[in-house]
């Protein structure tokens, strides 16, 4: 029992960060109604600013500038500047991104949060580098003797500080004039406005406070865990679990749940190291705990969670029923063949990668564009198919295409399981569940050496009736026949999705997307429609994951990481998440696709590509929710109307 207690105390280090980020999430939500997926990404900027000031004396700005403040910046000054920087970024995020999206649907807000997360991660990597850092300690870390236990003193301090921060924010909401006004605006924005309070100004205040809270706590904890552009970005997942246990309104509940989650994760790590624990479940189990917390919280509290502003939400991006024209389809297919034939090497591989990314985007078109369910786990499900393909094809000897279909089927089954919470919850809350599910899959499955070899999983080349369809042969590293195979499958999937949109099933899905209650009143089985959509979308994602394996010959976890999946979602939304054409555009600009290859080789923007994608996603979410394809469609329609009006005037004048 002593060991369990000791590990629980050790887990309070991570738990204090979860508690602080969860506190920030609750503060932001109470002030603006936004679930900020970028909470951790904003906060980690403060830790980097602090470390840079302490090591080089340079104050780093988000843009390409540094200000040297001296060779020995005091820790208190560095901490204050770091926290203030996080607060400024939070203010800019509110003013430039989330204020324009105040009345937007949940999809737009979630996409903007993902875009901000990707943008901040890219900024950190560009301005501070990608190497892990271990900042100088601020909190005393000497060992504290508690009876027979020896615990680092900083765990106690960090826990007390996290509780004090939550208590201070509770007191601000409870007793201060601005805090009371913020609570009033959360209940009734119109009434707060009549009383002379600006909901926008109150929301801006909470964005600044929440970013400063997160930045302050991450800077304190960073010396115990180290920092890199990724780790604290994804700390938002367990923090979201804690915030949901606080129903996104209770600061004390969110803080306590965050501390408890850190302790539970640490105890799970201890238990999984025991000799009696199964070896296959010993790795990554602690990282799966937040997913269980999220699901439990949403199932217990889902209907009681507040839905601020939901009734005022604007319509989702428009879905235009496609017309499958055989001549146009044939021309597009021939164009793809020509492009594959006249290119080679990196350019041909870029085209193939774009086609595979377009398949992944088609998955998002089905689940998000047609049914309105926000899934952030599609790339993780694609990874399940990829690694399953390695087992059934390379180890089991199952031939193509049966091996690919079995792998995609495995992704579909898991996708339905991930989608089960959608029966009860929706919107941003479902996005939280699927993001937590993606993290759990990555940590518990993909990074589990008992399930996936650390050296990677080899994928046997595809062959059909003795005809080799592999991507490589001898000196030819990107064979034309493999590209043609990908093109054929992409064409089939595109036609299937286009026909689905036009079909009765597609209209039922659109009805569920538009209004679940109205659809149910008309006799639609909403739960069945959602689960079918999750299964079909996951199957398509599984096909994409299988082709990722075929194109690389060997899979690793980096191919299907959570942030990779969020980047794919970014480009799917950027292209146009409600149409097949939008998926093709998304594939064109996806990471390592042909757009990336061309831009990197000619204007050398490869290291800035994720930043460009994140900023593009933010601009799309704010200015044009229908993406590039939607903008082009509206511009063409406007041009046609102007031409028709001009012709009508000419005809009338003659």
């Amino acid at each position: 029992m002593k060991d369990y207690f000791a590990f629980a105390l050790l887990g309070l280090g991570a738990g204090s960060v979860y508690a602080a980020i969860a506190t920030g999430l609750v503060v932001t939500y109470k002030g603006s109604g936004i679930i900020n997926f970028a909470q951790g990404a904003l906060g980690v900027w403060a830790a980097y600013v602090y470390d840079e000031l302490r090591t080089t004396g340079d104050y780093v700005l988000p843009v390409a500038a540094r200000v040297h403040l001296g060779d020995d910046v005091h820790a208190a000054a560095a901490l204050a500047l770091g926290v203030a920087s996080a607060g400024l970024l939070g203010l800019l995020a509110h003013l430039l991104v989330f204020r324009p999206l105040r009345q937007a649907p949940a999809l737009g807000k979630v996409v903007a949060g993902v875009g901000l997360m990707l943008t901040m991660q890219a900024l950190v990597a560009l301005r501070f580098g990608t190497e892990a850092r271990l900042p100088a300690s601020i909190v005393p870390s000497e060992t504290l003797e508690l009876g027979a236990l020896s615990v680092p003193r900083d765990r106690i301090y960090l826990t007390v500080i996290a509780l004090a921060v939550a208590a201070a924010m509770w007191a601000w909401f409870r007793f201060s004039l601005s805090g009371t006004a913020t609570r009033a605006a959360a209940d009734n924005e119109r009434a707060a406005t009549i009383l002379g309070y600006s909901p926008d100004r109150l929301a801006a205040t909470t964005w600044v406070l929440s970013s400063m809270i997160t930045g302050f706590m991450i800077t304190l904890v960073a010396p115990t865990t180290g920092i890199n552009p990724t780790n604290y970005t994804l700390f938002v997942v367990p923090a979201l679990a804690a915030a949901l246990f606080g129903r996104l309104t209770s600061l004390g509940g969110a803080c306590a749940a965050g501390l408890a989650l850190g302790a539970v994760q640490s105890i799970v790590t201890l238990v999984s190291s025991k000799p009696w624990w199964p070896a296959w479940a010993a790795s990554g189990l602690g990282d799966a705990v937040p997913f269980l917390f999220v699901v439990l919280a949403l199932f217990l509290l889902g209907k009681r969670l507040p839905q601020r502003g939901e009734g005022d939400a604007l319509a989702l991006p428009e879905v235009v029923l496609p017309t499958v024209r055989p001549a146009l389809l044939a021309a597009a297919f021939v164009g793809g063949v020509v492009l594959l034939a006249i290119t080679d090497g990196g350019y041909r591989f870029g085209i193939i990668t774009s086609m595979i990314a377009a398949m992944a985007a088609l998955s998002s078109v089905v689940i998000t564009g047609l049914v309105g369910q926000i899934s952030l786990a599609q790339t993780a499900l694609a990874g399940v198919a990829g690694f399953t393909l390695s087992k059934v094809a390379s180890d089991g000897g199952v031939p193509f295409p049966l091996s690919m279909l079995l792998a995609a089927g495995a992704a579909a089954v898991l996708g339905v399981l991930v989608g089960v919470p959608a029966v009860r919850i929706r919107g941003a809350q479902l996005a939280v569940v699927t993001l937590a599910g993606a993290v759990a899959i990555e940590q518990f499955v993909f990074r589990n050496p008992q399930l996936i070899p650390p050296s990677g999983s080899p994928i046997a080349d595809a062959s059909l009736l003795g005809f080799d369809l592999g991507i490589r042969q001898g000196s030819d590293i990107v064979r034309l026949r493999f590209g043609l195979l990908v093109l054929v499958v992409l064409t089939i999937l595109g036609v299937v999705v286009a026909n689905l949109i036009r079909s009765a099933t597609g209209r039922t899905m659109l009805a569920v997307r538009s209004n679940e209650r109205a659809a149910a009143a008309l006799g639609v089985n909403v739960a069945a429609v959602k689960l079918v959509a999750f299964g079909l979308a996951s199957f398509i994602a599984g096909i994409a994951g299988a082709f990722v394996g075929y194109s690389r010959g060997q899979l690793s976890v980096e191919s299907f990481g959570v942030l990779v999946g969020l980047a794919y979602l970014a480009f799917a939304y950027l292209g146009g998440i409600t149409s097949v054409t939008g998926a093709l555009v998304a594939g064109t600009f996806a990471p390592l696709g042909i757009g990336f290859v061309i831009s990197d080789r000619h204007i050398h923007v490869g290291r800035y590509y994720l930043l460009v994608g994140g900023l593009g996603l933010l601009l799309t979410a704010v200015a044009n929710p229908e993406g590039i394809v939607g903008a082009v469609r509206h511009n063409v329609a406007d041009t046609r109307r102007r031409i028709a009006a001009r012709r009508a005037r000419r005809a009338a004048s003659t």
Side-chain angles (χ1 to χ4, degrees), residues 517-574:
R517 291 184 179 179
L522 293 174
V524 174
N525 188 332
V526 174
V529 169
K530 289 182 177 181
L531 294 180
V532 167
F534 266 98
L536 178 58
S538 302
F539 184 86
I540 295 173
I543 295 292
F547 274 113
V548 169
Y550 284 132
S551 67
R552 300 182 183 180
Q554 183 164 314
L555 288 177
S556 64
V557 64
E558 284 70 25
S559 302
F560 304 105
V562 172
L563 293 174
V564 173
L566 296 179
Y568 274 119
L569 173 68
F571 284 95
Y573 194 84
L574 184 62

Side-chain angles (χ1 to χ4, degrees), residues 446-457:
F446 298 165
R447 296 189 184 277
N448 189 335
Q450 297 294 326
L451 301 177
I452 308 295
S455 59
S457 298

